[in-house]
Amino acid sequence: MFDKFLPKKVRIKINELEKDLENYRVLVANTPDLLYRTDLEGRILFVSPSMETLSGYTVEEAVGMKMAEEVYLHQQDRTLFLELLQKDGHVRNFQAQLKRKDGSIWWASTNAHFYRDKNGAICGIEGVTRNVDELKKAEKAQQRSEELFRLAFHTSPDL
């Protein structure tokens, strides 16, 4: 409406920013991984729509939840996550069991780091969490297979 009163360079820049914003919105809305941001107390401030697919919680339900108390199955996992984050400033492939809204459990792998304000002060944590249930099942099956092979090898009379 007021675009006609803006200089052409400003209108072009606004259009570019609107396109960028739409690209980011579509990317966040369609990623199967969970994108999130929390404050320093672990309270969820932002979460992508995949939250509902992965955990059963809607975005509206999740925002405000405290990670350690309501999401992690074992609070000590959250404590370890924070210790690693403090030590290195980031965490890569941190695996833990998380709780779904219906009480079921799922394995998650998280990459995260501190995010900061424009003055460099730490404001909270942001990251990406992925469901690794299938990976955990495959690891367990491989362990069972290796154990059966080891048992067969050590108990075979032909050796």
Side-chain angles (χ1 to χ4, degrees):
M1 177 177 190
F2 296 104
D3 286 357
K4 62 185 172 187
F5 299 111
L6 296 172
K8 184 176 181 178
K9 284 184 178 183
V10 173
R11 287 192 312 249
I12 290 171
K13 189 63 177 173
I14 289 171
N15 286 337
E16 289 172 359
L17 291 171
E18 286 174 342
K19 286 179 187 175
D20 286 348
L21 182 61
E22 180 60 14
N23 286 336
Y24 288 119
R25 188 197 66 72
V26 169
L27 180 66
V28 169
N30 292 311
T31 184
D33 294 337
L34 179 65
L35 307 174
Y36 72 90
R37 181 177 268 192
T38 70
D39 63 17
L40 290 173
E41 285 77 43
R43 192 171 298 108
I44 298 171
L45 302 174
F46 168 83
V47 67
S48 60
S50 58
M51 178 74 167
E52 190 164 2
T53 303
L54 292 172
S55 73
Y57 291 102
T58 65
V59 170
E60 293 78 16
E61 290 171 323
V63 171
M65 290 175 66
K66 292 196 80 172
M67 297 289 286
E69 297 161 10
E70 301 179 63
V71 179
Y72 276 80
L73 178 62
H74 305 291
Q75 188 156 355
Q76 63 267 26
D77 288 339
R78 175 71 175 168
T79 302
L80 176 59
F81 174 82
L82 293 173
E83 287 171 2
L84 293 169
L85 195 58
Q86 287 286 346
K87 178 179 168 239
D88 298 328
H90 65 272
V91 175
R92 300 285 179 255
N93 300 315
F94 182 84
Q95 294 185 2
Q97 291 179 293
L98 304 181
K99 297 180 280 189
R100 289 190 178 96
K101 183 178 179 179
D102 66 6
S104 63
I105 307 302
W106 61 290
W107 277 99
S109 177
T110 298
N111 294 325
H113 61 268
F114 288 118
Y115 70 92
R116 301 171 185 273
D117 65 17
K118 63 182 179 179
N119 298 318
I122 295 174
C123 298
I125 301 165
E126 61 188 7
V128 179
T129 297
R130 171 173 287 172
N131 182 325
V132 291
D133 277 340
E134 293 304 315
L135 176 64
K136 287 295 190 180
K137 287 177 188 173
E139 286 174 355
K140 199 172 201 177
Q142 181 180 4
Q143 289 170 349
R144 276 194 304 263
S145 177
E146 289 172 355
E147 183 58 34
L148 287 172
F149 175 79
R150 199 173 9 264
L151 183 63
F153 182 80
H154 289 298
T155 59
S156 175
D158 294 335
L159 295 175

